[in-house]
Amino acid sequence: QVQLVESGGGSVQAGGSMTLSCTISKYIYSAHCMGWFRQPPGKEREGVAAVQTSTGATFYADSVKGRFTISHDNAENTVYLQMSSLKPEDTAMYFCAAGSEAYCFGSNWRYGMEYWGQGTLVTISS
């Protein structure tokens, strides 16, 4: 069974930084699309960023471009989300997800994820 385990959430003041980590228990495909999604309180889940593990190509939501960086370490089966210049509107439950790399292009990365973590809460205070 594939498991994704997130870590690194917590509370920080606006303008601060935080890094989330997600480790996948095993790879299902030869290459993956791994991403981060978030669900703010009372709102729908939205895609934040994704990375194509074979090429390192990255994709971002417009709301986080220039502030967030997604990266991955294949040797450690881990994907990271470095967040800076955090805003109160970044407050959300953040979820790690993984799927086939076939979906890792354009905006398709938002729709092709098959496996999900339990989530980690990020709270940004003003």
Side-chain angles (χ1 to χ4, degrees):
Q1 185 176 355
V2 177
Q3 290 184 317
L4 284 77
V5 179
E6 302 101 335
S7 62
S11 299
V12 69
Q13 288 190 324
S17 301
M18 183 183 293
T19 297
L20 306 181
S21 302
C22 171
T23 299
I24 186 169
S25 60
K26 64 178 181 180
Y27 283 140
I28 314 98
Y29 305 104
S30 59
H32 291 78
C33 191
M34 295 192 71
W36 287 94
F37 292 72
R38 67 186 182 186
Q39 187 166 16
K43 297 184 179 180
E44 294 186 354
R45 187 174 63 194
E46 60 184 9
V48 175
V51 59
Q52 197 177 66
T53 61
S54 65
T55 66
T58 55
F59 308 88
Y60 294 94
D62 288 344
S63 58
V64 305
K65 281 181 181 177
R67 300 190 299 122
F68 290 12
T69 302
I70 189 170
S71 61
H72 75 286
D73 184 332
N74 281 342
E76 298 294 329
N77 291 2
T78 300
V79 62
Y80 303 94
L81 185 69
Q82 295 174 280
M83 306 183 291
S84 62
S85 302
L86 285 162
K87 306 174 182 180
E89 51 263 45
D90 294 318
T91 294
M93 186 70 80
Y94 282 71
F95 299 90
C96 176
S100 168
E101 192 173 76
Y103 288 93
C104 234
F105 65 96
S107 61
N108 283 32
W109 59 271
R110 292 179 171 86
Y111 311 110
M113 300 301 178
E114 301 173 61
Y115 302 94
W116 295 83
Q118 294 298 309
T120 185
L121 182 62
V122 172
T123 303
I124 312 301
S125 58
S126 57

